[in-house]
Coordinates of all heavy atoms in Angstrom, one line a residue:
N1 N -12.9 10.4 -15.8 CA -13.4 9.9 -14.5 C -12.3 9.2 -13.8 O -12.2 7.9 -14.0 CB -14.6 9.1 -14.7 CG -15.9 9.8 -15.1 OD1 -15.9 11.0 -14.9 ND2 -16.8 9.2 -15.6
D2 N -11.4 9.8 -13.1 CA -10.4 9.1 -12.4 C -10.9 8.5 -11.2 O -11.6 9.1 -10.4 CB -9.3 10.2 -12.0 CG -8.5 10.6 -13.2 OD1 -8.5 10.0 -14.2 OD2 -8.0 11.8 -13.2
K3 N -10.5 7.3 -10.9 CA -10.9 6.5 -9.6 C -9.9 6.9 -8.7 O -8.7 7.0 -8.9 CB -10.9 5.0 -9.8 CG -12.2 4.5 -10.5 CD -12.1 3.0 -10.5 CE -13.4 2.5 -11.1 NZ -13.4 1.0 -10.9
V4 N -10.3 7.1 -7.4 CA -9.5 7.3 -6.2 C -9.3 5.9 -5.6 O -10.2 5.3 -5.1 CB -10.1 8.3 -5.3 CG1 -9.1 8.4 -4.1 CG2 -10.2 9.6 -5.9
L5 N -8.1 5.3 -5.6 CA -7.8 4.1 -4.8 C -7.5 4.4 -3.4 O -6.9 5.4 -3.0 CB -6.5 3.5 -5.4 CG -6.7 3.0 -6.9 CD1 -5.3 2.4 -7.4 CD2 -7.8 2.1 -7.2
Q6 N -8.0 3.4 -2.6 CA -7.9 3.6 -1.2 C -7.2 2.3 -0.6 O -7.5 1.3 -1.3 CB -9.2 3.8 -0.5 CG -9.9 5.1 -1.0 CD -11.4 5.1 -0.8 OE1 -12.0 4.1 -0.6 NE2 -11.9 6.3 -0.7
I7 N -6.5 2.4 0.4 CA -5.9 1.3 1.1 C -6.9 0.5 1.8 O -7.8 1.0 2.5 CB -4.7 1.7 2.1 CG1 -3.7 2.5 1.4 CG2 -4.2 0.6 2.8 CD1 -2.9 1.7 0.3
S8 N -7.0 -0.8 1.4 CA -8.0 -1.7 2.0 C -7.7 -2.1 3.5 O -6.5 -2.8 3.6 CB -8.2 -2.9 1.1 OG -8.9 -3.9 1.8
R9 N -8.4 -1.9 4.4 CA -8.1 -2.4 5.8 C -8.1 -3.9 5.9 O -7.3 -4.5 6.5 CB -9.2 -1.7 6.7 CG -8.8 -2.0 8.2 CD -9.8 -1.3 9.2 NE -10.1 0.1 8.9 CZ -9.2 1.1 9.3 NH1 -8.1 0.8 10.0 NH2 -9.5 2.4 9.0
A10 N -9.0 -4.4 5.2 CA -9.1 -5.9 5.2 C -8.0 -6.6 4.6 O -7.7 -7.8 5.0 CB -10.5 -6.5 4.5
M11 N -7.3 -6.1 3.6 CA -6.2 -6.8 2.9 C -4.8 -6.3 3.4 O -3.7 -6.9 3.0 CB -6.3 -6.5 1.4 CG -7.4 -7.2 0.8 SD -7.4 -7.2 -1.1 CE -7.3 -5.6 -1.5
S12 N -4.8 -5.3 4.2 CA -3.5 -4.6 4.7 C -3.0 -5.3 6.0 O -3.9 -5.8 6.8 CB -3.6 -3.2 4.8 OG -3.9 -2.7 3.5
A13 N -1.8 -5.1 6.4 CA -1.2 -5.6 7.6 C -1.9 -4.9 8.7 O -2.2 -3.6 8.7 CB 0.3 -5.2 7.7
P14 N -2.1 -5.6 9.9 CA -2.8 -5.0 11.0 C -2.0 -4.0 11.7 O -2.4 -3.2 12.6 CB -3.1 -6.3 11.9 CG -2.2 -7.3 11.4 CD -1.9 -7.0 10.0
T15 N -0.6 -3.9 11.4 CA 0.3 -2.9 11.9 C 0.1 -1.5 11.4 O 0.7 -0.6 11.8 CB 1.7 -3.4 11.8 OG1 2.0 -3.6 10.4 CG2 2.0 -4.6 12.5
L16 N -0.7 -1.4 10.3 CA -1.0 -0.1 9.7 C -2.1 0.6 10.4 O -3.1 0.1 10.8 CB -1.3 -0.3 8.3 CG -0.1 -0.7 7.3 CD1 -0.6 -0.7 5.8 CD2 1.0 0.2 7.4
D17 N -2.0 1.9 10.5 CA -3.0 2.8 11.0 C -3.6 3.4 9.7 O -3.0 4.2 9.1 CB -2.5 3.8 11.9 CG -3.7 4.7 12.5 OD1 -4.8 4.2 12.5 OD2 -3.3 5.8 13.0
I18 N -4.9 3.1 9.4 CA -5.4 3.6 8.2 C -6.6 4.5 8.5 O -7.5 4.1 9.3 CB -6.0 2.4 7.3 CG1 -4.9 1.3 7.0 CG2 -6.7 2.9 6.0 CD1 -5.4 0.1 6.4
E19 N -6.5 5.7 8.0 CA -7.6 6.8 8.4 C -8.1 7.4 7.0 O -7.6 7.0 6.0 CB -6.9 7.8 9.2 CG -6.2 7.4 10.5 CD -5.5 8.4 11.1 OE1 -5.7 9.6 10.9 OE2 -4.5 8.1 11.9
D20 N -9.0 8.3 7.2 CA -9.6 9.0 6.1 C -10.0 8.2 5.0 O -9.7 8.4 3.8 CB -8.6 10.2 5.7 CG -9.3 11.2 4.7 OD1 -10.5 11.3 4.8 OD2 -8.5 11.9 4.0
D21 N -10.9 7.1 5.3 CA -11.4 6.1 4.4 C -10.3 5.6 3.4 O -10.4 5.5 2.3 CB -12.5 6.8 3.4 CG -13.7 7.2 4.3 OD1 -14.0 6.4 5.1 OD2 -14.3 8.2 4.0
G22 N -9.1 5.3 4.1 CA -8.1 4.6 3.3 C -7.2 5.5 2.6 O -6.3 5.1 1.8
K23 N -7.3 6.8 2.8 CA -6.5 7.8 2.0 C -5.2 8.2 2.8 O -4.3 8.7 2.2 CB -7.3 9.0 1.6 CG -8.4 8.6 0.6 CD -9.3 9.9 0.4 CE -10.5 9.4 -0.3 NZ -11.6 10.4 -0.1
K24 N -5.2 8.0 4.1 CA -4.1 8.3 4.9 C -3.6 7.0 5.7 O -4.4 6.3 6.3 CB -4.5 9.4 5.9 CG -3.4 9.8 6.8 CD -3.9 11.0 7.7 CE -2.7 11.4 8.6 NZ -3.1 12.5 9.5
V25 N -2.3 6.7 5.5 CA -1.8 5.5 6.1 C -0.6 5.8 6.8 O 0.3 6.5 6.4 CB -1.5 4.4 5.1 CG1 -0.9 3.2 5.6 CG2 -2.8 4.2 4.2
S26 N -0.3 5.3 8.0 CA 0.9 5.4 8.7 C 1.2 4.0 9.3 O 0.4 3.2 9.5 CB 0.9 6.5 9.8 OG -0.2 6.2 10.8
G27 N 2.5 3.9 9.8 CA 3.0 2.6 10.4 C 3.9 1.9 9.5 O 4.3 2.4 8.5
N28 N 4.1 0.6 9.8 CA 5.0 -0.3 9.0 C 4.3 -1.5 8.6 O 3.4 -2.0 9.3 CB 6.2 -0.7 9.8 CG 7.0 0.5 10.1 OD1 7.5 1.2 9.3 ND2 7.3 0.7 11.4
G29 N 4.4 -1.9 7.3 CA 3.8 -3.1 6.9 C 3.3 -2.9 5.5 O 3.3 -1.9 4.9
L30 N 2.7 -4.0 5.1 CA 2.0 -4.1 3.7 C 0.7 -3.4 3.6 O -0.2 -3.7 4.4 CB 1.9 -5.5 3.3 CG 1.5 -5.8 1.8 CD1 2.3 -5.2 0.8 CD2 1.3 -7.4 1.7
G31 N 0.5 -2.4 2.7 CA -0.7 -1.8 2.6 C -1.2 -2.0 1.1 O -0.5 -1.7 0.2
L32 N -2.4 -2.6 1.0 CA -2.9 -3.0 -0.3 C -4.1 -2.3 -0.6 O -5.0 -2.1 0.2 CB -3.1 -4.5 -0.4 CG -1.9 -5.3 -0.3 CD1 -2.4 -6.9 -0.2 CD2 -0.9 -5.1 -1.4
A33 N -4.2 -1.9 -1.9 CA -5.5 -1.3 -2.5 C -6.1 -2.3 -3.3 O -5.6 -3.1 -4.0 CB -5.2 0.0 -3.4
G34 N -7.5 -2.5 -3.1 CA -8.2 -3.5 -3.8 C -8.6 -3.0 -5.2 O -9.6 -2.3 -5.3
V35 N -8.0 -3.4 -6.2 CA -8.3 -3.1 -7.6 C -8.0 -4.3 -8.5 O -7.0 -4.9 -8.4 CB -7.6 -1.8 -8.0 CG1 -6.1 -2.0 -8.1 CG2 -8.0 -1.3 -9.4
S36 N -8.8 -4.6 -9.4 CA -8.6 -5.6 -10.3 C -8.0 -5.1 -11.5 O -8.2 -3.9 -12.0 CB -10.0 -6.4 -10.7 OG -10.7 -5.4 -11.4
I37 N -6.9 -5.8 -12.1 CA -6.3 -5.4 -13.3 C -6.8 -6.4 -14.4 O -6.6 -7.6 -14.3 CB -4.8 -5.5 -13.1 CG1 -4.4 -4.6 -12.0 CG2 -4.0 -5.1 -14.5 CD1 -2.8 -4.8 -11.7
E38 N -7.4 -5.8 -15.5 CA -7.9 -6.6 -16.6 C -7.2 -6.5 -17.8 O -7.7 -6.7 -18.9 CB -9.4 -6.3 -16.6 CG -10.1 -6.6 -15.4 CD -11.7 -6.3 -15.6 OE1 -12.0 -5.9 -16.7 OE2 -12.3 -6.4 -14.6
Q39 N -6.0 -6.1 -17.7 CA -5.1 -5.9 -18.9 C -3.7 -6.3 -18.7 O -3.4 -6.6 -17.5 CB -5.2 -4.5 -19.5 CG -4.6 -3.5 -18.4 CD -5.7 -2.4 -18.0 OE1 -6.9 -2.6 -18.1 NE2 -5.1 -1.3 -17.6
D40 N -2.9 -6.2 -19.6 CA -1.4 -6.6 -19.5 C -0.6 -5.4 -18.8 O 0.4 -5.7 -18.3 CB -0.8 -6.9 -20.9 CG -1.4 -8.1 -21.4 OD1 -1.9 -9.0 -20.6 OD2 -1.4 -8.3 -22.7
A41 N -1.1 -4.3 -18.9 CA -0.4 -3.1 -18.4 C -1.4 -2.1 -17.7 O -2.6 -2.0 -18.1 CB 0.4 -2.3 -19.4
A42 N -1.0 -1.5 -16.6 CA -1.8 -0.6 -15.9 C -0.9 0.6 -15.5 O 0.3 0.5 -15.3 CB -2.5 -1.3 -14.7
Y43 N -1.6 1.7 -15.2 CA -0.8 2.9 -14.8 C -1.5 3.5 -13.6 O -2.7 3.7 -13.5 CB -0.8 4.0 -15.9 CG -0.4 5.3 -15.5 CD1 1.0 5.6 -15.4 CD2 -1.3 6.4 -15.2 CE1 1.6 6.8 -14.9 CE2 -0.8 7.6 -14.9 CZ 0.5 7.8 -14.7 OH 1.0 9.0 -14.3
W44 N -0.7 3.8 -12.5 CA -1.3 4.6 -11.4 C -0.3 5.7 -11.1 O 0.8 5.7 -11.3 CB -1.2 3.7 -10.1 CG -2.1 2.5 -10.1 CD1 -3.4 2.4 -9.7 CD2 -1.8 1.1 -10.5 NE1 -4.0 1.2 -9.9 CE2 -2.9 0.4 -10.3 CE3 -0.5 0.5 -10.9 CZ2 -2.9 -1.0 -10.6 CZ3 -0.6 -0.9 -11.3 CH2 -1.8 -1.6 -11.0
E45 N -1.0 6.8 -10.6 CA -0.3 8.0 -10.2 C -0.5 8.2 -8.8 O -1.7 8.3 -8.4 CB -0.8 9.2 -11.0 CG 0.0 10.5 -10.6 CD -0.4 11.6 -11.5 OE1 -0.8 11.3 -12.7 OE2 -0.3 12.8 -11.0
W46 N 0.5 8.2 -7.9 CA 0.4 8.4 -6.5 C 1.0 9.7 -6.1 O 1.9 10.2 -6.7 CB 1.3 7.3 -5.8 CG 0.8 5.9 -6.1 CD1 1.1 5.1 -7.1 CD2 -0.2 5.2 -5.3 NE1 0.5 3.9 -7.0 CE2 -0.3 3.9 -5.9 CE3 -0.8 5.4 -4.1 CZ2 -1.1 3.0 -5.3 CZ3 -1.6 4.4 -3.6 CH2 -1.8 3.3 -4.2
H47 N 0.4 10.3 -5.2 CA 0.8 11.5 -4.5 C 1.0 11.3 -3.0 O 0.1 11.1 -2.3 CB -0.2 12.7 -4.8 CG -0.4 13.0 -6.2 ND1 0.2 14.0 -6.9 CD2 -1.4 12.5 -7.1 CE1 -0.2 14.0 -8.2 NE2 -1.1 13.1 -8.2
I48 N 2.3 11.2 -2.7 CA 2.7 10.7 -1.4 C 3.4 11.8 -0.6 O 4.4 12.4 -1.2 CB 3.5 9.5 -1.5 CG1 2.7 8.4 -2.1 CG2 4.0 9.0 -0.1 CD1 3.5 7.1 -2.4
T49 N 3.1 12.0 0.6 CA 3.9 12.9 1.5 C 4.5 12.1 2.6 O 3.7 11.3 3.3 CB 3.0 14.1 2.1 OG1 2.5 14.8 1.1 CG2 3.9 15.0 3.0
I50 N 5.7 12.1 2.9 CA 6.4 11.4 3.9 C 7.0 12.4 4.9 O 7.9 13.1 4.6 CB 7.5 10.4 3.4 CG1 6.9 9.4 2.3 CG2 8.2 9.7 4.4 CD1 7.9 8.7 1.7
Q51 N 6.5 12.3 6.1 CA 7.0 13.1 7.2 C 7.2 14.6 6.7 O 8.3 15.1 6.8 CB 8.3 12.5 7.8 CG 8.1 11.2 8.4 CD 9.4 10.6 8.8 OE1 10.5 11.1 8.5 NE2 9.3 9.4 9.4
G52 N 6.2 15.1 6.1 CA 6.3 16.5 5.6 C 7.1 16.8 4.3 O 7.2 17.9 4.0
K53 N 7.5 15.7 3.6 CA 8.2 16.0 2.4 C 7.6 15.1 1.3 O 7.0 14.2 1.5 CB 9.7 15.7 2.6 CG 10.1 14.3 2.9 CD 11.5 14.0 3.2 CE 11.7 12.5 3.6 NZ 13.1 12.3 3.9
K54 N 7.7 15.6 0.1 CA 7.2 14.9 -1.0 C 8.0 13.7 -1.3 O 9.3 13.7 -1.3 CB 7.1 15.8 -2.3 CG 5.9 16.7 -2.4 CD 4.7 15.8 -2.8 CE 3.7 16.6 -3.5 NZ 2.5 16.0 -3.9
Y55 N 7.4 12.6 -1.7 CA 8.2 11.4 -2.1 C 8.8 11.6 -3.4 O 8.2 12.1 -4.3 CB 7.3 10.1 -2.2 CG 8.0 8.9 -2.6 CD1 8.9 8.3 -1.7 CD2 7.8 8.5 -4.0 CE1 9.5 7.1 -2.2 CE2 8.5 7.4 -4.4 CZ 9.4 6.6 -3.5 OH 10.0 5.5 -3.9
D56 N 10.1 11.3 -3.6 CA 10.9 11.5 -4.8 C 11.6 10.1 -5.1 O 12.5 9.9 -4.4 CB 11.8 12.6 -4.8 CG 12.6 12.9 -6.1 OD1 12.4 12.1 -7.0 OD2 13.3 13.9 -6.1
D57 N 11.1 9.4 -6.1 CA 11.8 8.2 -6.4 C 13.2 8.3 -6.9 O 14.0 7.3 -7.1 CB 11.0 7.2 -7.3 CG 10.8 7.8 -8.8 OD1 11.2 9.0 -8.9 OD2 10.1 7.2 -9.6
N58 N 13.7 9.5 -7.2 CA 15.1 9.7 -7.5 C 15.9 10.1 -6.4 O 17.1 10.3 -6.5 CB 15.1 10.9 -8.6 CG 14.5 10.4 -9.9 OD1 14.7 9.3 -10.3 ND2 13.7 11.2 -10.4
D59 N 15.3 10.3 -5.1 CA 16.0 10.7 -3.9 C 16.3 9.5 -3.1 O 15.3 8.8 -2.6 CB 15.1 11.7 -3.2 CG 15.7 12.2 -1.9 OD1 16.8 11.7 -1.5 OD2 15.1 13.0 -1.2
S60 N 17.5 9.0 -3.0 CA 17.9 7.8 -2.4 C 17.5 7.8 -0.8 O 17.4 6.8 -0.2 CB 19.4 7.6 -2.4 OG 20.1 8.6 -1.9
S61 N 17.3 9.0 -0.2 CA 17.0 9.1 1.2 C 15.5 8.6 1.4 O 15.2 8.3 2.5 CB 17.1 10.4 1.8 OG 16.3 11.4 1.2
T62 N 14.7 8.7 0.4 CA 13.3 8.2 0.6 C 13.0 6.8 -0.1 O 11.9 6.3 0.0 CB 12.3 9.2 0.1 OG1 12.5 9.4 -1.4 CG2 12.4 10.5 0.8
M63 N 14.0 6.2 -0.7 CA 13.7 5.0 -1.5 C 13.2 3.9 -0.6 O 12.4 3.1 -1.3 CB 15.0 4.5 -2.2 CG 15.3 5.3 -3.4 SD 16.6 4.4 -4.3 CE 16.7 5.6 -5.8
N64 N 13.6 3.7 0.6 CA 13.1 2.6 1.4 C 11.9 2.9 2.2 O 11.3 2.1 2.8 CB 14.3 2.1 2.3 CG 15.4 1.4 1.5 OD1 15.1 0.8 0.6 ND2 16.5 1.7 2.0
D65 N 11.4 4.1 2.0 CA 10.1 4.6 2.8 C 8.9 3.9 2.1 O 8.0 3.5 2.8 CB 10.0 6.0 2.8 CG 11.1 6.7 3.6 OD1 11.6 6.0 4.5 OD2 11.3 7.9 3.5
V66 N 8.8 3.8 0.8 CA 7.6 3.3 0.1 C 8.2 2.5 -1.0 O 9.0 2.9 -1.7 CB 6.8 4.6 -0.5 CG1 5.7 4.0 -1.2 CG2 6.4 5.5 0.7
K67 N 7.4 1.4 -1.2 CA 7.7 0.4 -2.4 C 6.4 0.3 -3.1 O 5.3 0.0 -2.4 CB 8.4 -0.8 -2.0 CG 9.8 -0.6 -1.4 CD 10.6 -1.8 -1.2 CE 11.9 -1.6 -0.6 NZ 12.7 -0.7 -1.0
F68 N 6.4 0.1 -4.3 CA 5.2 -0.2 -5.1 C 5.3 -1.5 -5.8 O 6.4 -1.9 -6.2 CB 4.9 1.0 -6.2 CG 4.6 2.2 -5.5 CD1 5.8 3.1 -5.4 CD2 3.5 2.6 -5.2 CE1 5.6 4.4 -4.8 CE2 3.3 3.9 -4.6 CZ 4.3 4.7 -4.4
G69 N 4.2 -2.2 -6.0 CA 4.2 -3.4 -6.8 C 2.7 -4.0 -7.0 O 1.9 -3.3 -6.6
V70 N 2.6 -5.2 -7.4 CA 1.4 -5.8 -7.6 C 1.4 -7.1 -6.9 O 2.4 -7.7 -6.7 CB 1.2 -6.2 -9.1 CG1 -0.1 -6.9 -9.4 CG2 1.2 -4.8 -10.0
S71 N 0.2 -7.4 -6.3 CA 0.2 -8.6 -5.4 C -1.1 -9.3 -5.6 O -2.1 -8.7 -6.1 CB 0.2 -8.1 -3.9 OG 0.0 -9.1 -3.0
T72 N -1.1 -10.6 -5.2 CA -2.4 -11.3 -5.1 C -3.1 -10.8 -3.9 O -2.7 -10.1 -3.0 CB -2.1 -12.8 -4.9 OG1 -1.3 -13.1 -3.8 CG2 -1.4 -13.4 -6.1
K73 N -4.4 -11.1 -3.9 CA -5.3 -10.6 -2.8 C -4.9 -11.3 -1.6 O -4.6 -12.4 -1.4 CB -6.7 -11.0 -3.0 CG -7.7 -10.3 -2.2 CD -9.2 -10.6 -2.7 CE -10.1 -9.9 -1.8 NZ -11.5 -9.9 -2.3
K74 N -4.8 -10.4 -0.4 CA -4.5 -11.0 0.9 C -5.6 -10.8 1.8 O -6.5 -10.0 1.6 CB -3.3 -10.1 1.5 CG -2.1 -10.1 0.5 CD -1.4 -11.4 0.6 CE 0.0 -11.2 -0.3 NZ 0.0 -12.0 -1.4
D75 N -5.6 -11.5 3.0 CA -6.6 -11.4 4.0 C -6.0 -11.5 5.3 O -4.8 -11.7 5.5 CB -7.8 -12.3 3.8 CG -7.4 -13.8 3.8 OD1 -6.3 -14.1 4.3 OD2 -8.2 -14.6 3.3
R76 N -6.8 -11.5 6.4 CA -6.2 -11.5 7.7 C -5.5 -12.9 8.0 O -4.5 -13.0 8.8 CB -7.3 -11.3 8.8 CG -7.8 -10.0 8.9 CD -6.8 -9.0 9.4 NE -7.2 -7.6 9.2 CZ -6.5 -6.6 9.1 NH1 -5.1 -6.8 9.1 NH2 -6.8 -5.4 8.9
S77 N -5.9 -14.0 7.4 CA -5.2 -15.3 7.7 C -3.9 -15.3 7.1 O -3.0 -15.8 7.6 CB -6.1 -16.4 7.1 OG -6.2 -16.3 5.7
F78 N -3.7 -14.5 6.0 CA -2.3 -14.4 5.5 C -1.4 -13.7 6.5 O -0.2 -14.3 6.7 CB -2.3 -13.4 4.2 CG -1.0 -13.0 3.7 CD1 -0.3 -13.9 2.9 CD2 -0.4 -11.8 4.0 CE1 1.0 -13.5 2.5 CE2 0.8 -11.4 3.6 CZ 1.5 -12.2 2.8
Y79 N -1.8 -12.7 7.2 CA -0.9 -12.1 8.2 C -0.9 -13.0 9.4 O 0.3 -13.0 10.0 CB -1.5 -10.7 8.5 CG -1.5 -9.8 7.3 CD1 -2.6 -9.4 6.6 CD2 -0.3 -9.2 6.8 CE1 -2.5 -8.7 5.5 CE2 -0.3 -8.4 5.8 CZ -1.4 -8.2 5.1 OH -1.3 -7.4 4.0
R80 N -1.9 -13.6 9.8 CA -1.7 -14.6 10.9 C -0.7 -15.7 10.6 O 0.2 -16.0 11.4 CB -3.0 -15.3 11.3 CG -3.9 -14.4 12.1 CD -5.1 -15.2 12.7 NE -6.0 -15.8 11.7 CZ -7.0 -15.1 11.1 NH1 -7.3 -13.8 11.4 NH2 -7.8 -15.6 10.2
N81 N -0.7 -16.2 9.4 CA 0.4 -17.2 9.0 C 1.7 -16.7 9.0 O 2.6 -17.3 9.4 CB 0.0 -17.8 7.6 CG -1.2 -18.6 7.6 OD1 -1.7 -19.1 8.6 ND2 -1.9 -18.8 6.5
L82 N 1.8 -15.4 8.7 CA 3.2 -14.8 8.6 C 3.7 -14.7 10.1 O 4.9 -15.0 10.4 CB 3.2 -13.3 8.1 CG 3.2 -13.2 6.6 CD1 3.2 -11.7 6.2 CD2 4.5 -13.8 5.9
D83 N 2.8 -14.3 11.1 CA 3.2 -14.2 12.4 C 3.5 -15.5 13.0 O 4.5 -15.7 13.8 CB 2.0 -13.6 13.2 CG 1.9 -12.1 13.1 OD1 2.9 -11.5 12.6 OD2 0.8 -11.6 13.4
E84 N 2.9 -16.6 12.6 CA 3.2 -17.9 13.1 C 4.5 -18.4 12.6 O 5.2 -19.1 13.3 CB 2.1 -18.9 12.6 CG 0.7 -18.7 13.4 CD -0.4 -19.5 12.9 OE1 -0.2 -20.4 12.0 OE2 -1.6 -19.3 13.5
Q85 N 4.8 -18.1 11.3 CA 6.2 -18.5 10.8 C 7.3 -17.7 11.5 O 8.4 -18.3 11.6 CB 6.2 -18.1 9.3 CG 5.4 -19.0 8.4 CD 5.3 -18.6 7.0 OE1 6.1 -17.6 6.7 NE2 4.5 -19.3 6.2
D86 N 7.1 -16.6 12.0 CA 8.1 -15.8 12.7 C 8.4 -16.4 14.1 O 9.5 -16.1 14.6 CB 7.7 -14.3 12.8 CG 7.8 -13.6 11.6 OD1 8.5 -14.0 10.6 OD2 7.2 -12.5 11.4
D87 N 7.4 -17.0 14.6 CA 7.5 -17.6 16.0 C 8.4 -18.9 16.1 O 8.8 -19.5 15.3 CB 6.2 -18.0 16.6 CG 5.3 -16.8 16.9 OD1 5.9 -15.6 17.0 OD2 4.1 -16.9 17.0

């Protein structure tokens, strides 16, 4: 029973356009999926298409298009604070 992770609109940057129930994302900014990790290690498999091409982490031309990591939970006030710091 594989779970399908979806990008959370509530935790992601307002600059992202999130469609198809969180399965299709475009724009620039931080996109987060809400999932709890209850172990020391976890594994995710992503299938990503960027402008009509498959993402390849060995291809240096796509390395800056997508980055993966783990984050604490974010909300809209987090992004408002970021905007205020930029001003």
Side-chain angles (χ1 to χ4, degrees):
N1 291 337
D2 292 334
K3 283 188 171 183
V4 175
L5 296 180
Q6 299 161 335
I7 300 298
S8 168
R9 187 177 310 280
M11 291 192 302
S12 297
T15 54
L16 290 182
D17 185 20
I18 301 170
E19 301 174 23
D20 194 18
D21 292 326
K23 296 176 193 155
K24 182 177 180 183
V25 180
S26 60
N28 294 306
L30 182 64
L32 296 175
V35 61
S36 61
I37 302 173
E38 298 178 7
Q39 64 239 21
D40 293 335
Y43 170 80
W44 292 275
E45 181 175 329
W46 295 86
H47 299 268
I48 298 173
T49 302
I50 300 173
Q51 300 173 355
K53 61 184 176 181
K54 277 284 209 182
Y55 177 78
D56 180 356
D57 61 0
N58 295 316
D59 179 357
S60 62
S61 69
T62 62
M63 277 191 183
N64 291 321
D65 291 342
V66 177
K67 296 192 184 314
F68 298 95
V70 177
S71 172
T72 57
K73 191 171 184 176
K74 307 289 186 238
D75 58 18
R76 290 295 172 203
S77 65
F78 169 81
Y79 296 103
R80 278 193 298 276
N81 290 338
L82 279 181
D83 284 341
E84 290 171 5
Q85 289 176 6
D86 286 343
D87 292 339

